Amino acid sequence: MRHEPDTSLPRASGGLDRRRFVSLSATALVLGIMAPKLARGAATDTPTRRAADAPHLASPFLSIDAQGTVTVFAKHLDMGQGIWTGLATILAEELDANWEQVRVEGAPARLPDYVHLDYGAQTTGGSTSIAQSWLQLREAGANARAMLVAAAAARWQVPAADITVAQGVVRSGERSAHFGELAAEAGAQDVPEASPKPRDAYSLVGQRGLGALDARAKSTGRQLYAIDGGWPGLKVALLARPPRLGARIARFDASAAMAMAGVRAVVEIPGSLAVVADGTWQAMKARDALDITWDESAASTTSSQGYLDTLSEAMDSAEPEFSEERGDSAAAFAKAAQVLEAEFTFPSLAHAPMEPLTSMGRIEDGECYLRAGFQSQTINQQAAAEILGLPTEKVHLETIAAGGSFGRRAAADSDWIRELAQVLKATQGHWPIKLMRTREDEMAAMRYRPQALHRLRAALDATGRPTAIEHGIGGEGVFPHLLKIAPEVHRFSVILGNAFAQYDFPAGRLDWWRADLDIPVETYRGIANNHTAPTKEIFLERLARAAKTDPVALRLGLLAERPRTAAVLRRAAAMVDWDSPAPEGITRGVAVQFADETHIAQIAEVSGTPEDYRIERIVCAVDLGLAINPDIVRAQIEGGIAFALSNTFVSELTIENGAAVQSNFHDYPIQGMYDMPRRIEVAIVDSQEPPTGIGEPGSLLAGAAVINALERMGAKPVTSFPYRPV
């Protein structure tokens, strides 16, 4: 059943939009090989630059216009982590640009120019953005600087060695020119192989007080997200989704909805109905008016408790899917003076980004234009092309900032972009369309961090020395689509960060069990570390208590072969003067992790009682190599602490009979400011190593550190999350 759109409505404007090109020969230095296709749209959009087709140039990462504005093209998505500022800092440092004239734009979807060097596609994840772009952006900035110098040397007829560059100005003696004045001539230079700066010459990288490039836009409400604004003639679409996963439409009557003001169409797409209207509220009311009969005969019957029971049964009686062992753990347990055991269960978690997944698209002249916070541009582009029957080069992605993701926008099947493409197809490209989700839509979307069950066992000898560890993990990974083609990657997404791998016990064993799950799962901030890190750190704390050993000393004894991890633990301990008694009324808990090539330790100081406690302070020491923007590192750790506390103490998504129980923040709470630590202190370890990431490592440990303090107070031992001490 189909309701046809009103074909009398106008199409979108055909004028040039914010992807207007800059002429290489007349106005700009452009380092890039950019697609010459002009994307079209609203003339009211803020103008931005796209590089011209310049095949003799080599780097796709920057352009400089006639006004001297430096635009950095970021291949990774900024979803609130500040990565666009970080990437721009690297390039601006090598270019010696004026920071006030630097801006960032999401790079187009195009391989191989913007490929993730490890993942083989254009995507963002794993706290790898800085590490991925570090050398590329340094080289791009250094090369562009050398080209500006060469242009100035040719214009002024002076040796290049007599020229200096600083703050976006090129100088030789009394003569000077800003970047924009030299951009066109510089663009005609051959691309050199310039050497990036030594670290002792940095003036932007590593400096505090630099300021985030998007701070003013965010604080004034000018930051553009997909949920905001749009093109002329834009219509809003909402989907009527099945009440249970796997339910199908048996019949529907859209006559009441179509009779409502502002409603333009109701179309059926695979698995749901789309209501297209002039505005969001009209689409919401029309969706409520739909009369749908759902066939639930093949719907999922999965429940959270049922899946947990299945995992438990598998771990009790089935052979593990994967095992790894070192030393003779059986002998160690046979000789043990003490054996400790623990079990921890973790719930599903919803991503709940502040901006529910929103995307917009239009079809013009046989080509498709999409705008959203794309986290995985390659697969998003391919998914839309497949559904619309277009070559991938005729699907153009405009990546803008995203209001959060935590992994949700990285969906391997591009479900949210597929839905938009299906709506565009069903409406025959008649309107530009923004596909919206309400918070309830987002919570019910059945894309969660999967549940996990952990069982640990450790042996201590008569002196209290740990001699063996066994860590069993039950649960589904977040890459089930890779089970047959890359099973090790899927497995890695479940076991990453476990106690067996992170600590040097003399002997040990790691086991993983999986059980079939018909609920789609999704990558979630920290991948497996978000449940393996708290598991192992709470268990290590219990080992220290059982051995009557200092918990920092116990960990250091198991980190002898991991000096950088040990160093951040020592630094965190020094921050609270660990070797001295804690202040009266304060109990401390510690946690440490190596994640995404970053070493991090946190210590919590908690006052009160388990029934009425207060987190007084959390200190954090981190070694992430060279810190590009120390202020952003601190902000990420502060936000990560809130994220970890939320996942530890308040958030839980439960499934009953194939449907989510929670629907919005009233029954899926997140961490409130009132429960945040009174003080957060961050120490960034000075390192000569290349930069790594902080977005995910900073979100792993705070909950475990607080629980360790609470258990030392006498709180009941945690066995399941979210944890309620009373």
Side-chain angles (χ1 to χ4, degrees):
M1 188 176 192
R2 174 187 168 85
H3 292 261
E4 295 295 335
D6 178 1
T7 56
S8 65
L9 292 173
R11 294 176 61 84
S13 166
L16 298 180
D17 73 351
R18 65 196 307 272
R19 298 199 176 278
R20 194 183 306 270
F21 285 91
V22 178
S23 167
L24 172 64
S25 59
T27 60
L29 160 64
V30 178
L31 286 181
I33 304 173
M34 298 292 189
K37 178 65 188 177
L38 298 178
R40 297 185 297 170
T44 56
D45 281 347
T46 303
T48 62
R49 284 143 297 280
R50 272 289 183 245
D53 186 28
H56 63 284
L57 300 179
S59 173
F61 295 110
L62 76 97
S63 72
I64 302 174
D65 68 15
Q67 288 70 49
T69 300
V70 177
T71 300
V72 178
F73 300 113
K75 68 179 184 179
H76 299 290
L77 172 67
D78 196 315
M79 45 197 123
Q81 78 275 44
I83 200 65
W84 280 3
T85 295
L87 298 174
T89 305
I90 299 169
L91 194 145
E93 177 67 74
E94 296 294 345
L95 188 60
D96 281 316
N98 180 347
W99 185 246
E100 297 300 320
Q101 290 185 281
V102 176
R103 60 183 302 283
V104 186
E105 183 177 341
R110 190 177 67 246
L111 299 179
D113 290 331
Y114 301 111
V115 70
H116 189 294
L117 302 178
D118 293 332
Y119 300 161
Q122 188 174 345
T123 188
T124 304
S127 291
T128 59
S129 297
I130 289 289
Q132 277 285 301
S133 297
W134 169 239
L135 292 178
Q136 290 178 323
L137 294 181
R138 290 179 74 202
E139 291 170 359
N143 290 347
R145 183 184 185 278
M147 294 167 74
L148 289 161
V149 168
R155 176 188 287 191
W156 299 329
Q157 293 298 294
V158 299
D162 291 347
I163 293 175
T164 62
V165 184
Q167 290 288 305
V169 177
V170 183
R171 289 186 172 87
S172 177
E174 297 298 318
R175 287 171 291 197
S176 67
H178 66 69
F179 283 0
E181 295 175 275
L182 293 167
E185 296 161 63
Q189 301 290 322
D190 290 334
V191 180
E193 292 186 5
S195 298
K197 294 180 182 179
R199 291 193 184 186
D200 59 8
Y202 288 166
S203 60
L204 296 176
V205 167
Q207 301 303 307
R208 297 204 63 180
L210 190 62
L213 291 177
D214 56 3
R216 182 177 296 274
K218 287 182 175 178
S219 61
T220 58
R222 293 173 61 88
Q223 179 70 51
L224 179 68
Y225 299 98
I227 203 170
D228 302 317
W231 301 302
L234 186 76
K235 305 303 175 187
V236 173
L238 288 173
L239 299 186
R241 302 175 184 278
R244 293 167 57 201
L245 184 68
R248 298 288 182 264
I249 296 172
R251 55 164 297 278
F252 73 92
D253 182 356
S255 56
M258 287 298 298
M260 300 173 73
V263 177
R264 300 300 177 181
V266 175
V267 294
E268 187 169 2
I269 68 170
S272 60
L273 289 179
V275 176
V276 181
D278 291 342
T280 304
W281 180 248
Q282 292 161 313
M284 291 173 66
K285 299 302 290 183
R287 183 174 64 173
D288 291 342
L290 292 172
D291 179 11
I292 306 174
T293 301
W294 295 94
D295 176 3
E296 300 185 29
S297 59
S300 170
T301 58
T302 292
S303 70
S304 296
Q305 187 57 52
Y307 184 67
L308 191 61
D309 292 342
T310 300
L311 287 178
S312 181
E313 291 169 7
M315 295 176 77
D316 285 340
S317 57
E319 287 296 314
E321 190 97 359
F322 170 81
S323 294
E324 186 177 356
E325 191 168 7
R326 68 169 173 266
D328 190 344
S329 58
F333 279 101
K335 298 175 183 177
Q338 290 188 74
V339 174
L340 269 73
E341 297 183 355
E343 180 174 293
F344 303 95
T345 61
F346 291 83
S348 296
L349 291 174
H351 300 79
M354 289 307 296
E355 180 198 14
L357 296 191
T358 305
S359 56
M360 63 183 81
R362 67 183 190 275
I363 297 175
E364 294 181 8
D365 301 329
E367 305 200 21
C368 178
Y369 301 89
L370 304 176
R371 176 190 286 178
F374 299 106
Q375 188 172 348
S376 295
Q377 291 92 333
T378 300
I379 61 173
N380 296 158
Q381 183 185 43
Q382 292 171 347
E386 174 192 338
I387 288 167
L388 295 170
L390 295 173
T392 55
E393 64 270 16
K394 291 187 179 295
V395 176
H396 310 281
L397 271 57
E398 180 185 357
T399 298
I400 60 176
S405 175
F406 312 115
R408 180 63 184 90
R409 297 174 191 272
D413 63 352
S414 295
D415 63 305
W416 61 298
I417 300 303
R418 285 182 173 275
E419 289 174 347
L420 173 61
Q422 293 285 6
V423 175
L424 290 171
K425 179 180 180 180
T427 55
Q428 301 173 6
H430 186 63
W431 306 283
I433 286 178
K434 178 190 293 185
L435 181 59
M436 298 276 288
R437 289 188 179 187
T438 65
R439 178 66 57 194
E440 289 80 6
D441 291 339
E442 192 65 57
M443 293 292 292
M446 305 304 284
R447 298 283 176 138
Y448 313 118
R449 182 197 77 172
Q451 295 171 268
L453 173 59
H454 290 255
R455 291 176 179 171
L456 296 96
R457 196 164 74 113
L460 299 172
D461 66 15
T463 68
R465 183 178 70 94
T467 58
I469 183 77
E470 291 182 350
H471 193 164
I473 304 173
E476 181 62 283
V478 296
F479 303 121
H481 62 291
L482 298 179
L483 263 174
K484 293 184 179 179
I485 59 175
E488 69 285 353
V489 176
H490 181 66
R491 178 177 71 243
F492 192 65
S493 74
V494 192
I495 66 175
L496 174 67
N498 64 80
F500 170 83
Q502 293 249 326
Y503 284 115
D504 297 323
F505 285 86
R509 181 181 175 90
L510 171 68
D511 294 306
W512 168 51
W513 291 262
R514 67 175 295 270
D516 289 333
L517 179 63
D518 65 356
I519 300 295
V521 296
E522 198 51 79
T523 55
Y524 190 90
R525 188 179 188 182
I527 309 296
N529 282 295
N530 57 56
H531 53 89
T532 58
T535 291
K536 74 175 183 59
E537 289 306 297
I538 294 167
F539 190 65
L540 262 290
E541 190 79 12
R542 293 180 187 176
L543 284 185
R545 294 200 299 272
K548 296 181 173 54
T549 299
D550 178 85
V552 170
L554 179 86
R555 287 172 171 83
L556 289 173
L558 295 169
L559 293 171
E561 302 301 319
R562 304 164 194 270
R564 291 177 70 188
T565 308
V568 295
L569 179 55
R570 291 191 181 95
R571 180 69 174 273
M575 293 170 73
V576 299
D577 194 13
W578 181 270
D579 292 333
S580 299
E584 185 176 353
I586 294 294
T587 305
R588 292 170 173 156
V590 60
V592 63
Q593 188 77 354
F594 171 60
D596 300 315
E597 304 303 315
T598 292
H599 309 261
I600 188 165
Q602 293 181 353
I603 296 176
E605 294 187 334
V606 182
S607 65
T609 66
E611 294 79 14
D612 183 18
Y613 69 90
R614 176 78 194 196
I615 308 171
E616 298 292 342
R617 179 166 69 145
I618 291 181
V619 303
C620 176
V622 59
D623 178 353
L624 70 165
L626 176 65
I628 304 300
N629 294 88
D631 292 336
I632 291 178
V633 171
R634 287 177 168 83
Q636 276 294 289
I637 290 172
E638 290 168 0
I641 285 171
F643 196 83
L645 294 176
S646 190
N647 292 346
T648 301
F649 294 104
V650 296
S651 298
E652 178 181 19
L653 194 291
T654 52
I655 299 167
E656 290 182 5
N657 203 30
V661 174
Q662 291 76 22
S663 63
N664 207 319
F665 290 131
H666 72 284
D667 54 5
Y668 186 86
I670 60 174
Q671 178 74 16
M673 287 297 294
Y674 48 82
D675 282 331
M676 284 293 288
R678 293 180 188 269
R679 293 163 57 194
I680 296 174
E681 299 170 23
V682 178
I684 302 172
V685 174
D686 187 28
S687 176
Q688 294 301 306
E689 298 296 325
T692 55
I694 193 57
E696 297 186 73
S699 69
L700 307 173
L701 296 177
V706 172
I707 284 176
N708 288 339
L710 291 172
E711 288 195 358
R712 280 188 173 269
M713 279 184 183
K716 66 177 183 179
V718 60
T719 57
S720 62
F721 293 85
Y723 175 55
R724 275 90 185 192
V726 180

